[in-house]
Amino acid sequence: MKKILTTILAGTLVAGAAFAADASVKLNYRARLDAFSLLNADDGNGHKDNTRNWMNWNGYGGKSSDNLDIQIKSDMFGARLTLATNVDGSSTPFNKTKEFSGWMKFNVGPGTLQFDVGNWGDGYADGNYRVKKDHDAQSSEGPDFEKFKLGSIFNGGKGIKFVDDLTSGNGEKALGGFASYAFDVTETVNLKLTVGGVQADDFDVPPAEIDGNTKTTTSWKSAFASRAQLKVKDVLNAELIYKLNHKTGEDVTNTFGLYVMPQILDALTLNVGGAVELNGADDCTDWGVDLRMRYQVMDPLSITFYTNVSGTTNDAGRKISGGIVGFDGKQGILKAGEGPQIGKTEDNSPYLKVAMWNHLTGRYKVNDLLTATLNVGLITPLSKVDNDDTSYGPEWRVTPGIQIFPEPEGKASLWAGVAISGCSVEDASKIGVDIPVIFRVKW
């Protein structure tokens, strides 16, 4: 009996220690579909396409997303597992590990030393630099809201497209490890330094035989990432980012980013900054300048505005990353062979040297159950490669919508809009009408 009581007591103590940390399980279900879509395309030479589609889960911005988030954390340690799936006809309940990470802290000197190891599908970012409060409130993303993240809207460099995501040094999500040290410089100034690395490929390569001799080669594709964050109470938040990327057979690429969030008004959230990449692989420089702001005009009304100007010194130019604001997000205005292509010259090479992206969102809360939204996106070509005489028009998308909440706490919502989009090149044009619908439940 004494052994049984001892065993029970020991188990109780272990369980008590384990559950001294806070544990949580959250479900974030979001399903997006194109309830109806209509596409009219004209190549300017007598060829026209008229395409209709109903209930498209796999269209641009489509698919369902279901995240199951499990966390355990205390003041000094924690771990997180986030499972995700996309509804694409597969019967697999969860087909992707979105995050699997753990961390622990140590009090060292005047500050705190923290170690993080894991895989972050959404990036090892830190802070509100993306200014996406209205994005989260609307449950939308992609063409109707944040078409591009901080960095460059071109797909040139791997690290510059989402520069404050420290785990995307190679354009891939991979196992990474980071160490950070945060301390107070003064009563109002805090500094946090983070350094780490991301490994995205196998290091070992089988020996190769060259001229009859066996030679051992080493392949590596990895990235070094670092970030310095400065917080001055009631004045500003700032981050300075440096990444060093390397791929076997290619030169080293260095990426720098600096973003500052001055605190000017209580109702205004502002971020201004940019990134530059010395692209060793293409022997060129890519850059992007960002301005993001959100203003709470009054309690029910908020306005968010993004602008980005991106450029490259690459002689061949760059394509727009991930397609255009227009209907289906693809680079071609029509299918291959049917007419001129947006985003490509006649020899199918990238074309733009400088481009601008602007985005505007307005949200008006009518009452606890209903919110009206308006999203406007625009991409404007500013400069193209020297050998391209094609005339390119802006690419745009306008989406008025409404969001319905079944209860005041906002844990569930249904958003629907009517998206009208278009683009043109020479005499060819494309106009699309889309009805996106987002069903979301958060708990």
Side-chain angles (χ1 to χ4, degrees), residues 106-113 181-183:
F106 301 90
N107 293 321
V108 178
T112 303
L113 178 65
Y181 187 68
F183 61 97

Side-chain angles (χ1 to χ4, degrees), residues 135-158:
H135 167 174
D136 294 336
Q138 186 175 306
S139 303
S140 184
E141 61 185 358
D144 292 309
F145 200 102
E146 195 188 25
K147 173 62 181 169
F148 304 101
K149 298 180 175 64
L150 293 173
S152 171
I153 67 174
F154 290 146
N155 68 348
K158 293 294 186 181

Side-chain angles (χ1 to χ4, degrees), residues 143-267:
D144 292 309
F145 200 102
E146 195 188 25
K147 173 62 181 169
F148 304 101
K149 298 180 175 64
L150 293 173
S152 171
I153 67 174
F154 290 146
N155 68 348
K158 293 294 186 181
I160 196 173
K161 289 190 296 181
F162 186 4
V163 68
D164 63 340
D165 172 0
L166 296 190
T167 66
S168 69
N170 297 292
E172 302 175 16
K173 302 302 177 185
L175 182 67
F178 297 90
S180 60
Y181 187 68
F183 61 97
D184 292 329
V185 180
T186 67
E187 292 184 356
T188 59
V189 179
N190 179 268
L191 182 62
K192 182 179 180 181
L193 304 175
T194 301
V195 294
V198 182
Q199 182 265 319
D201 202 358
D202 293 333
F203 280 81
D204 297 326
V205 173
E209 187 172 306
I210 302 177
D211 297 331
N213 298 319
T214 300
K215 179 182 179 181
T216 301
T217 60
T218 301
S219 172
W220 62 299
K221 184 170 62 174
S222 55
F224 167 80
S226 61
R227 176 171 56 210
Q229 295 169 276
L230 177 68
K231 295 183 179 180
V232 182
K233 186 177 180 181
D234 299 327
V235 177
L236 61 81
N237 291 342
E239 65 173 356
L240 175 64
I241 298 161
Y242 169 67
K243 298 180 185 179
L244 184 149
N245 306 332
H246 186 281
K247 290 185 178 181
T248 301
E250 297 182 359
D251 294 329
V252 170
T253 294
N254 295 279
T255 304
F256 303 86
L258 174 63
Y259 295 91
V260 180
M261 298 186 68
Q263 298 178 21
I264 301 174
L265 300 172
D266 291 340

